[in-house]
Amino acid sequence: TFAEYSACVSAGGCSALPNDNGWGGGNRHVINVSWSDATKYAQWLSNTTGKKYNLPTGAQWEYAARGGDTGVWPGGSTKARCAFANGASAESGLPWANVDCTDMAADRTTPAGMLSANKFGVKDMIGNVGEWVQDCNTLNLRDAPTDGSPDLRGSCNQRAVRGGSWFSPPADLRYAARLMQRRGDSNDCTGCRAVRK
């Protein structure tokens, strides 16, 4: 969240507090952070707590997002997904919107924890903000690691973002969806999540 990231900035572990687009900071997911910013946050958290934190690998992220589900998306249908994912909804007026969903904030993120939890008790994995993971940009997953480690083949100047965002169409709000961004890019659709080893 912005509050958690702000602690890193105040302690000098992170460069600067990113712009919240006027949506409000506090308990909203941090946005406008690059992959490099996100890894600095995880390093600061490790140094501060004495425990090892990192960005999740793509496999770790998907395991947590699925929460034991083997389907394509949370809830099993485009309508049921609405309880778990803040994506482009009917109110957004976007041509790719999921018209089955209504949204309390059609043009921005919602505060953390507002969506339903999966069977692991984890919230906000799908939609709201896409989350940086360790994996590099690869053309396919055919030879990807099968032990949960990051896929570091291909171009590591680009990194994977998982989960879709408040701006995403239904196709990007699937467990398996992955987008690639340059590791130095930041935008209001992308944030991060740290995992503890």
Side-chain angles (χ1 to χ4, degrees):
T1 63
F2 270 96
E4 291 166 324
Y5 196 87
S6 178
C8 179
V9 173
S10 296
C14 297
S15 303
L17 192 62
N19 187 340
D20 68 7
N21 281 13
W23 301 344
N27 196 36
R28 284 187 189 271
H29 294 277
V30 70
I31 55 173
N32 293 312
V33 290
S34 68
W35 186 86
S36 300
D37 294 333
T39 55
K40 282 181 187 173
Y41 173 78
Q43 184 60 55
W44 170 80
L45 194 57
S46 297
N47 295 342
T48 302
T49 64
K51 301 189 185 304
K52 177 67 177 155
Y53 285 87
N54 212 330
L55 296 182
T57 68
Q60 290 170 334
W61 184 93
E62 190 164 333
Y63 180 81
R66 284 184 176 279
D69 188 358
T70 58
V72 176
W73 50 69
S77 72
T78 55
K79 186 159 186 68
R81 178 174 37 198
C82 303
F84 298 93
N86 174 30
S89 62
E91 294 88 349
S92 71
L94 296 168
W96 56 84
N98 181 356
V99 295
D100 289 330
C101 294
T102 56
D103 196 344
M104 62 185 91
D107 62 347
R108 64 191 65 193
T109 61
T110 58
M114 303 263 315
L115 301 166
S116 295
N118 66 17
K119 290 179 184 172
F120 286 174
V122 182
K123 295 183 176 185
D124 302 326
M125 295 293 289
I126 305 293
N128 223 15
V129 296
E131 298 177 352
W132 289 108
V133 296
Q134 293 181 42
D135 298 38
C136 299
N137 185 6
T138 57
L139 295 176
N140 64 65
L141 300 176
R142 183 179 14 202
D143 298 318
T146 57
D147 61 357
S149 61
D151 190 344
L152 300 178
R153 303 169 302 142
S155 171
C156 290
N157 287 328
Q158 294 181 320
R159 298 291 177 142
V161 175
R162 303 295 303 270
S165 75
W166 60 272
F167 193 68
S168 294
D172 289 341
L173 300 174
R174 298 173 296 119
Y175 295 127
R178 50 184 53 78
L179 301 172
M180 299 297 165
Q181 295 184 67
R182 290 177 298 184
R183 59 190 285 170
D185 287 352
S186 61
N187 57 59
D188 60 13
C189 295
T190 308
C192 61
R193 179 182 302 256
V195 294
R196 190 172 78 196
K197 190 170 183 177

